[in-house]
């Protein structure tokens, strides 16, 4: 069984997935979506997938998608869409990834599902965004300005009422905001140092959790946060599972914050890294992902073929 691991970066995560696939008698081949495309002259399915000749992979694990122009990213997601339409299990598929890389769509779907998430605003108008910041600052709130398609805590800026002084909205022109304000009310920490929870959901079931502890207000591991083992309480598990279901994900990294009013979902990651979580987790996360893919998604495909 040959499985395509779609990634723009070969490293620890891909090696973990390849080892987990070998343990199940399968082969994982790394493939960059930037190298894929359409070639209707060469294959019956119309796709160009280097290393797979005329055949299709029997499953796909999406580990990473390189950034690029709107056109380039559209084609890369298009390849994943076509693979799904051709009956190849894609884990997570393009629809799920589109819901999670777009922070505004994530927020809307969480809100529609009745899940707690911080108040959020978007605007293409700097004037409108500045009025939102001023209004929130007058009420004593700070806001976090985020790139719509950002990840790993990069490009975040606090604006509004920040530690006793007013921080104005920066220019939205050019990267990383590219003319769009995505503003989310900042949730102040309940303790020092502050933390959030990252909960891993696989196949609809919460499987592991950690606290990401940091003296900085950004809690991403890539920004220096420290992973600490955390109990997966029923409340954490239920909220994470509902968030994953709201976005239609095979697997998800759900970021949850404690607040004075209870738990709130901050973000949901559809291409979640797990190196930090693995350091404080007693089972192989890569093996759990592969087992779920083979037992649930590939079994569903086999049943459909028999039908």
């Amino acid at each position: 069984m040959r499985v395509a691991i779609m990634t723009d970066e070969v490293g620890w995560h891909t090696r973990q997935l390849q080892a987990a696939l070998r343990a199940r008698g399968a082969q994982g081949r790394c493939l960059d979506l930037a190298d894929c495309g359409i070639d209707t002259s060469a294959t019956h399915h119309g796709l160009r997938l280097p290393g797979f000749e005329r055949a299709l992979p029997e499953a796909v694990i999406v580990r990473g998608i390189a950034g690029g122009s709107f056109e380039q990213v559209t084609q890369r997601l298009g390849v994943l869409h076509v693979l799904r339409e051709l009956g190849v299990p894609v884990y997570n598929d393009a629809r799920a990834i589109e819901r999670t890389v777009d922070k505004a769509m994530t927020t809307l779907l969480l809100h529609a599902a009745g899940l707690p998430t911080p108040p959020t605003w978007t605007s293409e108008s700097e004037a409108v965004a500045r009025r939102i910041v001023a209004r929130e600052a007058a009420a004593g709130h700070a806001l976090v300005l985020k790139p719509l398609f950002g990840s790993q805590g990069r490009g975040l800026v606090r604006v509004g009422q920040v530690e006793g002084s007013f921080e104005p909205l920066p220019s939205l022109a050019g990267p990383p905001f590219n003319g769009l304000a995505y503003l989310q009310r900042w949730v102040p920490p309940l303790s020092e140092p502050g933390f959030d929870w990252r909960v891993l959901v696989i196949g609809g079931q919460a499987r592991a959790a950690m606290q990401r502890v940091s003296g900085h207000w950004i809690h991403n591991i890539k920004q220096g946060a420290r992973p600490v083992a955390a109990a997966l309480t029923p409340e954490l598990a239920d909220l994470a599972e509902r968030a994953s279901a709201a976005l239609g994900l095979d697997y998800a990294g759900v970021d949850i914050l404690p607040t004075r009013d209870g738990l709130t979902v901050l973000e949901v990651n559809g291409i979640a890294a797990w190196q930090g979580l693995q350091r404080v987790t007693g089972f192989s996360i890569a093996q759990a992902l592969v087992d779920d893919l083979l037992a649930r998604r590939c079994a569903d495909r086999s049943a459909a073929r028999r039908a």
Side-chain angles (χ1 to χ4, degrees):
M1 180 178 185
R2 293 200 303 170
V3 177
I5 302 172
M6 298 299 191
T7 181
D8 60 325
E9 183 178 294
V10 175
W12 182 87
H13 287 89
T14 54
R15 290 193 297 270
Q16 292 280 305
L17 289 170
Q18 287 174 318
L21 286 164
R22 285 195 298 271
R24 292 294 305 270
Q27 176 192 12
R29 177 183 288 274
C30 293
L31 189 58
D32 193 335
L33 280 166
D35 297 328
C36 302
I38 293 172
D39 188 349
T40 58
S41 70
T43 62
H44 69 283
H45 49 72
L47 291 175
R48 181 180 68 256
L49 303 172
F52 284 88
E53 295 78 41
R54 297 174 62 85
L56 289 170
E58 292 175 83
V60 171
I61 300 173
V62 182
R63 177 57 239 144
I65 302 175
S69 67
F70 179 79
E71 290 82 2
Q72 289 171 325
V73 174
T74 297
Q75 183 195 237
R76 292 164 196 170
L77 290 170
V79 169
L80 298 180
H81 278 297
V82 171
L83 285 164
R84 175 178 57 84
E85 293 298 327
L86 291 169
V88 178
V90 180
Y91 191 96
N92 285 305
D93 75 21
R95 297 168 301 177
I97 291 169
E98 287 166 350
R99 296 181 192 119
T100 55
V101 298
D102 178 349
K103 289 184 175 62
M105 180 58 68
T106 299
T107 298
L108 284 171
L109 290 172
L110 293 173
H111 181 72
L115 299 178
T117 190
T120 304
W121 301 262
T122 65
S123 178
E124 295 184 36
S125 165
E126 282 200 21
V128 170
R130 292 183 194 285
R131 286 197 292 272
I132 294 168
V133 171
R135 185 184 68 228
E136 285 290 296
H141 300 302
L143 300 174
V144 181
L145 173 66
K146 302 181 180 182
L148 189 69
F149 301 130
S151 63
Q152 298 179 338
R154 292 189 293 261
L156 307 188
V157 179
R158 277 195 300 178
V159 297
Q161 192 66 25
V162 179
E163 297 178 359
S165 62
F166 179 77
E167 293 292 335
L169 187 82
S171 171
L172 301 177
F177 308 114
N178 296 313
L180 180 73
Y182 174 94
L183 294 160
Q184 195 165 59
R185 186 178 291 168
W186 182 59
V187 179
L190 299 183
S191 62
E192 292 294 341
F195 70 91
D196 67 2
W197 286 281
R198 162 62 64 89
V199 180
L200 179 68
V201 180
I202 301 175
Q205 181 182 0
R207 297 290 304 275
M210 68 174 171
Q211 286 185 351
R212 302 187 298 184
V213 180
S214 177
H216 194 272
W217 62 273
I218 300 175
H219 298 139
N220 296 73
I221 298 295
K222 286 288 187 179
Q223 302 298 324
R226 176 170 52 92
V228 176
L232 185 56
T233 65
E235 187 180 14
L236 274 176
D238 176 68
L239 185 56
E241 289 168 2
R242 289 164 61 202
S244 179
L247 296 166
L249 297 168
D250 289 311
Y251 75 99
V254 184
D255 298 339
I256 297 174
L257 277 170
T259 77
R260 292 182 178 85
D261 299 318
L263 302 180
T264 189
V265 180
L266 188 64
E267 292 187 1
V268 181
N269 195 321
I271 312 179
W274 67 86
Q275 191 167 10
L277 181 59
Q278 186 65 82
R279 298 207 296 267
V280 296
T281 300
F283 64 89
S284 168
I285 292 172
Q287 195 65 62
L289 293 167
V290 166
D291 289 348
D292 181 57
L293 167 66
L294 299 183
R296 184 174 57 86
R297 294 297 309 282
C298 292
D300 289 347
R301 184 192 188 196
S302 297
R305 282 177 167 176
R306 288 195 298 271

